[in-house]
Amino acid sequence: MVPPPPGEESQIILLPPGWQSYLSPQGRRYYVNTTTNETTWERPSSSSGIPASPGPHRSSLPPTVNGYHAAGTPAHPPETAHMSVRKSTGDSQNLGSSSPGKKQSKENTITINCVTFPHPDTMPEQQLLKPTEWSYCDYFWADKKDPQGNGTMAGFELLLQKQLKGKQMQKEMSEFIRERIKIEEEYAKNLAKLSQNSLAAQEEGSLGEAWAQVKKSLADEAEVHLKFSAKLHSEVEKPLMNFRENFKKDMKKCEHHITDLRKQLASRHAAVEKARKALTERQRDLEIKTQQLEIKLSNKTEEDIKKARRKSTQAGDDLMRCVDLYNQAQSKWFEEMVTTTLELERLEAERVEMIRQHLCQYTQLRHETDMFNQSTVEPVDQLLRKVDPAKDRELWVREHKTGNIRPVDMEI
C-alpha cells in the first residue's frame, strides 16, 4: 500500500473517521478501515462510516448446511469469502488486509476438528439432507463427550461402533441358536435311547399294543427333533454366522479412508492458520514502513515499502491458495462422510432385516416341529381308544387256559 498522491489529500479529509485511502500497485484506489481492517473498492459514506454501496466482494451467500452452502459448495472459513472475492475484482494483487467481516464471520461459524459449521445460534433451523428421517448423514458431524469424562468421540466413530456392536450381537444370536441346537440334539438322543428301554415290554393284549406304540412314538419324535436341529443349523445358525463375514475388514478400510481424509483436512486447516498469521505479520511490517515513509522520506524507505508490499501480496496469495486447498479437502471429506454414513445406514437396515427373516424361519420350524410331534402321538391315541379289558382277558385266557373241567361234589 502507498499513500495517495498530494492532489488527493482532500479526499482523505472527507473520509469517515477510521478510513484511509490507498492505491494498489496497478494504480486502483481502495479504502481501508484502520479499526476493523475492512477493505473496499467503493468510497465509504461520509455519514455512516461504511461503504456507500456494497463492493464487488460483498456477496450474499446461501444458508449453510454442515459447513456447506445449500448449493453444494463448501462454505468458506472466516476469511475465505473475502479472499476469494478479491480474485474476481480484476486486481491480481492482494489488498494486504484481513477480511472485512472477520468478526462477524467468526460469530456465524464454528470450527469442530478443523471443519467449519454454521453456528447453532445463527442457524437454529439448519437444513437437513434427509429432513423427514432420523438419518445417520445428518446427526453425526460433531463429537460426543464421553459420559465418564474420558474425552470425546467423533460421530463417525460412534457409527463404526454401532456397526461393530451389531456384528457382535449377530454372532451372539448365532451362538444362542447353536445352544438351542445342542439341546435338540441331546433331547433327540435321549428320546431314541428311551424308546429302546425294555421296561413294561411284557404287557399283552390291546394295552400292550398301545404301550408299544408309546415307545415307538418316542423314536419318531426323536427323529423329528433331529431334523429340527439340522434345519436350525442350515437355515438359521449358519446364515447368521456367514452374513457379511468380511464386515470387519470392510469397516477397517472405510475407517482408514475417512481418517486419512480427516488428517488431510487438519493439515489444510493448519496451513490456512499459518498463512493467515504470516499475512498478518506482513501487513504489520508494511504498515510500520508506511508510517516511516510519512515521517521521513528516503530512497531506502521507498525500497523497503516496495519489498514489504511484495511480501504482503505474496502472503495474501499464499493464504488464498491454502484456503482453496482447505475447501477442497473439506468438500471431499463432506462427500465421503455423507456417502459412507448412508452406506452404514443401509448395512444396518440390511442386518436387522436379515436377522428378522431368520428368526421368522426359526419360529416356522418350531411350529412344524410341534405339528410333526403331534402326528407321532396320534397313533398312540388311536390305540388307547381301542383298549378293551374284556378282549384282553379273552385273548389271555385262550392262550393260557389249562382246561374247563370243574370239580363236583362227592356223594355219601
Side-chain angles (χ1 to χ4, degrees), residues 243-259:
F243 182 71
R244 289 188 298 174
E245 190 63 31
N246 296 325
F247 174 82
K248 192 170 183 178
K249 182 188 297 183
D250 294 338
M251 286 300 99
K252 280 291 183 184
K253 185 185 303 181
C254 175
E255 180 182 7
H256 290 161
H257 179 57
I258 295 297
T259 301

Side-chain angles (χ1 to χ4, degrees), residues 297-310:
L297 296 176
S298 67
N299 292 333
K300 183 178 180 181
T301 305
E302 286 282 359
E303 246 352 274
D304 290 343
I305 289 179
K306 290 180 180 179
K307 184 177 180 181
R309 185 185 299 118
R310 287 195 299 269

Side-chain angles (χ1 to χ4, degrees), residues 147-289:
Q148 299 179 355
N150 297 327
T152 59
M153 178 176 292
F156 186 73
E157 293 295 327
L158 285 174
L159 291 178
L160 287 180
Q161 282 198 359
K162 166 69 174 174
Q163 296 297 315
L164 294 176
K165 181 180 178 181
K167 185 176 183 296
Q168 178 63 26
M169 294 302 99
Q170 186 172 313
K171 179 182 178 182
E172 292 181 7
M173 287 181 184
S174 64
E175 291 175 353
F176 180 90
I177 299 299
R178 176 69 252 177
E179 292 299 318
R180 182 72 173 88
I181 292 174
K182 289 181 179 180
I183 292 174
E184 287 296 319
E185 292 174 344
E186 188 67 22
Y187 183 55
K189 179 180 178 180
N190 291 333
L191 286 178
K193 182 179 179 180
L194 184 59
S195 67
Q196 301 299 322
N197 194 291
S198 61
L199 292 175
Q202 302 300 318
E203 182 64 48
E204 300 174 343
S206 58
L207 180 59
E209 293 178 5
W211 177 247
Q213 187 60 45
V214 167
K215 296 169 66 177
K216 183 178 183 302
S217 69
L218 294 182
D220 296 339
E221 187 177 354
E223 184 178 355
V224 169
H225 283 278
L226 277 177
K227 290 181 179 179
F228 175 51
S229 64
K231 288 186 176 181
L232 279 182
H233 173 69
S234 61
E235 300 179 21
V236 181
E237 181 204 7
K238 192 174 181 179
L240 286 176
M241 287 294 292
N242 293 341
F243 182 71
R244 289 188 298 174
E245 190 63 31
N246 296 325
F247 174 82
K248 192 170 183 178
K249 182 188 297 183
D250 294 338
M251 286 300 99
K252 280 291 183 184
K253 185 185 303 181
C254 175
E255 180 182 7
H256 290 161
H257 179 57
I258 295 297
T259 301
D260 290 342
L261 290 177
R262 284 295 292 270
K263 289 180 179 178
Q264 184 181 26
L265 185 60
S267 175
R268 301 299 188 194
H269 184 271
V272 169
E273 295 303 319
K274 183 178 179 180
R276 182 176 295 122
K277 183 179 179 181
L279 176 60
T280 302
E281 293 176 354
R282 296 304 182 189
Q283 290 173 340
R284 187 181 299 112
D285 182 58
L286 180 58
E287 183 179 356
I288 292 174
K289 286 181 171 54

